[in-house]
Amino acid sequence: NLANCLDDLGRDAESLALFRAVYARRVTILGVSHEDTILSGYNTNVTMKKLQLWDEVKPFLRDQLLPAARRSLGPDHDLTLALSQSIATALASDPERTGNDLPETETILRDVVQRRRRVFGPTHPE
């Protein structure tokens, strides 16, 4: 889609505006817990992290996307696991992270690895 194309071209701010618009539209039409809405939110989060919008992306993941994904898709769904990994990455990458952020990152990532191994098997590449 156009947002991905703009992202690939390095036009991140324009891409983010489109990703946000698509996410908002899907929330309105499909609801926050629909898999397509959650996927749109995931795409939005990726570009937010690329732009280092840490103060926006962390609550977006923690308060909106992850709860919706866990509720509707379940904790072991691949998209839920990708969102969990994404919050861990955001916590670790934020230059203003707190002393609690890295231990929380480790806890989240250990949980993701354990779930992926259980769900997808030990030979899964992620």
Side-chain angles (χ1 to χ4, degrees):
N1 70 31
L2 181 56
N4 286 322
C5 180
L6 291 169
D7 190 60
D8 291 343
L9 289 169
R11 294 164 59 184
D12 300 328
E14 292 173 80
S15 173
L16 180 57
L18 285 176
F19 279 131
R20 284 180 171 168
V22 169
Y23 176 74
R25 183 89 169 140
R26 287 191 172 164
V27 166
T28 301
I29 294 171
L30 302 173
V32 295
S33 296
H34 193 280
E35 186 171 358
D36 290 345
T37 304
I38 296 166
L39 182 58
S40 291
Y42 177 81
N43 290 335
T44 304
N45 126 79
V46 169
T47 303
M48 291 169 89
K49 287 191 311 185
K50 216 171 159 184
L51 290 168
Q52 301 180 8
L53 301 174
W54 310 119
D55 290 339
E56 291 181 59
V57 73
K58 290 186 291 186
F60 181 58
L61 286 163
R62 186 172 289 172
D63 302 337
Q64 292 180 47
L65 292 179
L66 266 169
R70 286 182 181 132
R71 188 174 50 251
S72 64
L73 305 174
D76 295 334
H77 190 280
D78 194 38
L79 186 51
T80 306
L81 294 171
L83 289 165
S84 295
Q85 186 169 338
S86 202
I87 185 65
T89 302
L91 288 167
S93 299
D94 184 352
E96 296 181 19
R97 64 181 176 254
T98 68
N100 294 328
D101 288 342
L102 288 179
E104 183 180 358
T105 297
E106 179 186 9
T107 300
I108 292 167
L109 291 176
R110 286 184 183 279
D111 180 63
V112 168
V113 168
Q114 178 186 34
R115 287 177 187 279
R116 281 198 170 129
R117 282 188 182 147
R118 188 180 73 246
V119 173
F120 301 113
T123 59
H124 191 270
E126 290 192 36

